[in-house]
Amino acid sequence: MDTVTHFGPKGAVLSDKKEPAPEHKASFVQKEPLRGAFFWLGAFFVVYCARPEDWIPGLSYIPLAKLTGVFALVGLVMSIGRAKRHFRDVPLEGRLLLALVCLLVPASLLSPVWRGGAFMHSLDFAKVVIGWVLTFLVVTNLPRLQQIIFIQTASVAVVAIVSIAKGHSAPRLQGVLGGIYSNPNDLAFAIVLSLPFALMFLLQGQGLLRKLAWVLALLVMAGALVLTGSRAGFIQLVIAGSVCLWHFGVKGRRPMLLVTTFLVGAALLIGAGGKIKSRFMAISGDIDSGLDQAAYGSYEERRALLISSFEAMLHYPILGIGVNNFTTYSGRWKEVHNSYLQIGVEGGVFALTLYLLFFWCGFRSLKRLRKRRDLEPGMVLLVGALHSSLIGFVVGAMFAPEAYQFFPYFAVAYVSTLAQMVRERDAEVALDRPVVGRRRDLEIYAHYRRADSATFIR
């Protein structure tokens, strides 16, 4: 046992107490708290990201989404007072997300279009807050964070395999799975947001078999994206992929990664990129087939939907028309293909403001992490993957109706959780320093915590 003296103001001795020897400290730190809550958080991610009820026989009769959502909520309640972190530690972006949900749910009850449908869809979207806050409270170390990101990435890879297997004869992998993967653009969106994480796991993987598994996952995910024929997904892939290669290839000094990516990308486009090429050509009116004609019609229809969304925002600027109600309001039974307009027309200008501020806070935290030069290699890779994924979202959101898809919110949760880990590590390092330096470090730590709210208020 070691004796530790605690000092108060002006060097006054407050207490002398025995602390466990270093080996006892290590065993205490390695103990994983809230294992049950973390298990149900993982189950929540599996059900949302993999949608096993759509491709495993018999599971469609079990309400997996509701069950895991309820148990995740129970895990969130159980973590109160037991978790290392508290609700007061939730950063500004988490509070903005809660405010967004608290605005959308009651606003749906005042919808001028369909109140019941808007209310139920807003409640379904509210589950993202449970997953977000539970992730922040329960994921307290890097291995746990990597496990959650692994669940998302592996689930999307499995979905890509199932989509190709079941929908290889479909023109665009449309309707192969239900829910968030029923639309080929939504499937492409989820794949692009998860690809940087797959590449991250490949680079940090140990062992030949594990690396080969991630190479296969990357190839299948890229192949499924090309087969969707999604123009928005392709643009999103180019932007997110470029940022990813900058982090991992250029800054990470991996020239072979750049060469390999170029060769594989060229091979995929030559072998299966005909659908994407024809759909891009159809924008200019160059129509050679029925698929091209449908693509041109889709382009014209999207223009009309954009105009209609602006008109709806002018008519209902405060509370919008209700979650998922634009399909009915437009009279075309289609969503506006722009996430920013989607949240603006269905939630109003205040919801749009909260939506933009939420992601702005995520990028602000990510910017601080990118400036750090003392992060371990695993964190550096994760920061690069998160930056690539969020850049891909910002671009893809301009061409796809993904305001209520959870993947972008998960990415911000990963950023906030990682940033909190770094702050906690800094505080622990400060406690290990001499008393004079320790007090200064703790003051700096407290200053940066206050700055999060102060910056927003200004």
Side-chain angles (χ1 to χ4, degrees):
M1 302 291 285
D2 298 326
T3 301
V4 178
T5 302
H6 295 271
F7 296 91
K10 299 181 180 180
V13 177
L14 296 181
S15 65
D16 291 332
K17 67 177 184 179
K18 301 291 185 178
E19 285 199 352
E23 59 270 15
H24 297 291
K25 288 184 179 180
S27 62
F28 176 77
V29 172
Q30 291 172 1
K31 183 179 179 181
E32 294 286 356
L34 297 172
R35 293 182 181 180
F38 181 73
F39 171 82
W40 288 113
L41 176 65
F44 177 83
F45 271 75
V46 169
V47 171
Y48 181 82
C49 299
R51 292 195 62 85
E53 67 274 18
D54 285 343
W55 49 276
I56 298 180
L59 287 185
S60 59
Y61 300 102
I62 304 175
L64 292 177
K66 293 181 180 179
L67 287 175
T68 53
V70 168
F71 281 113
L73 178 60
V74 172
L76 179 60
V77 174
M78 293 287 291
S79 66
I80 298 176
R82 298 175 55 204
K84 176 182 178 180
R85 298 167 187 161
H86 303 280
F87 282 100
R88 63 175 178 270
D89 297 322
V90 174
L92 181 58
E93 49 267 35
R95 294 176 234 161
L96 289 170
L97 179 59
L98 178 60
L100 175 62
V101 170
C102 290
L103 177 62
L104 290 176
V105 172
S108 298
L109 296 175
L110 302 175
S111 169
V113 181
W114 182 24
R115 297 178 183 177
F119 180 71
M120 294 306 298
H121 282 105
S122 62
L123 285 182
D124 187 59
F125 174 65
K127 290 186 297 186
V128 72
V129 176
I130 299 174
W132 203 100
V133 176
L134 189 58
T135 299
F136 181 81
L137 294 180
V138 175
V139 180
T140 55
N141 53 51
L142 188 59
R144 275 192 172 182
L145 181 57
Q146 290 175 332
Q147 289 176 41
I148 291 296
I149 297 176
F150 173 85
I151 290 174
Q152 173 187 324
T153 311
S155 297
V156 173
V158 170
V159 165
I161 294 173
V162 174
S163 298
I164 294 176
K166 295 183 64 175
H168 60 276
S169 59
R172 294 184 55 207
L173 299 184
Q174 188 165 5
V176 177
L177 297 181
I180 60 174
Y181 301 122
S182 58
N183 187 292
N185 293 311
D186 297 341
L187 176 59
F189 190 85
I191 289 174
V192 173
L193 293 188
S194 301
L195 271 171
F197 301 128
L199 184 56
M200 175 193 72
F201 285 122
L202 169 64
L203 295 178
Q204 69 181 17
Q206 300 293 328
L208 180 60
L209 288 179
R210 186 171 298 180
K211 287 184 176 294
L212 288 176
W214 282 115
V215 168
L216 177 61
L218 283 165
L219 291 175
V220 171
M221 292 166 73
L225 187 146
V226 172
L227 290 176
T228 62
S230 173
R231 292 167 291 191
F234 180 76
I235 295 173
Q236 188 182 7
L237 175 64
V238 171
I239 301 298
S242 299
V243 177
C244 200
L245 290 176
W246 165 256
H247 281 289
F248 297 153
V250 178
K251 293 184 66 176
R253 298 180 181 179
R254 299 180 180 91
M256 286 304 299
L257 177 62
L258 302 174
V259 176
T260 303
T261 302
F262 175 79
L263 294 176
V264 172
L268 281 174
L269 289 177
I270 293 173
K275 294 179 182 179
I276 292 181
K277 178 183 177 182
S278 62
R279 287 177 59 78
F280 271 110
M281 294 298 293
I283 296 177
S284 62
D286 186 2
I287 301 173
D288 296 328
S289 65
L291 187 62
D292 296 347
Q293 188 173 3
Y296 181 74
S298 173
Y299 166 72
E300 290 294 331
E301 186 176 52
R302 290 185 185 187
R303 281 208 313 173
L305 290 170
L306 288 174
I307 296 173
S308 179
S309 67
F310 279 114
E311 293 174 349
M313 285 186 67
L314 291 176
H315 283 91
Y316 305 99
I318 306 300
L319 297 178
I321 60 177
V323 175
N324 210 38
N325 269 351
F326 182 75
T327 55
T328 305
Y329 177 87
S330 65
R332 297 173 180 266
W333 299 102
K334 296 288 181 65
E335 298 171 311
V336 57
H337 280 252
N338 185 298
S339 297
Y340 309 111
L341 290 178
Q342 183 185 21
I343 198 74
V345 69
E346 296 181 350
V349 292
F350 294 114
L352 175 60
T353 302
L354 293 172
Y355 184 75
L356 295 175
L357 285 174
F358 170 80
F359 288 105
W360 174 78
C361 287
F363 274 102
R364 181 188 60 175
S365 298
L366 190 58
K367 182 179 180 181
R368 292 176 180 173
L369 289 172
R370 291 173 56 209
K371 288 183 177 180
R372 300 287 296 245
R373 295 294 179 266
D374 58 344
L375 300 181
E376 58 186 81
M379 286 186 176
V380 173
L381 286 174
L382 181 53
V383 168
L386 287 168
H387 189 222
S388 307
S389 183
L390 281 175
I391 290 293
F393 157 72
V394 170
V395 174
M398 293 188 289
F399 306 102
E402 310 297 343
Y404 310 116
Q405 191 182 109
F406 289 4
F407 286 108
Y409 302 96
F410 289 161
V412 176
Y414 303 152
V415 172
S416 302
T417 302
L418 182 61
Q420 182 67 13
M421 289 180 196
V422 174
R423 286 193 290 266
E424 291 168 352
R425 186 194 66 179
D426 291 345
E428 291 173 0
V429 170
L431 288 173
D432 290 336
R433 294 187 58 192
V435 175
V436 176
R438 180 195 310 170
R439 187 177 301 139
R440 176 59 180 162
D441 285 346
L442 290 175
E443 290 175 356
I444 294 174
Y445 174 71
H447 167 75
Y448 277 109
R449 283 190 56 81
R450 292 193 300 268
D452 288 343
S453 299
T455 303
F456 174 66
I457 293 173
R458 289 199 297 270

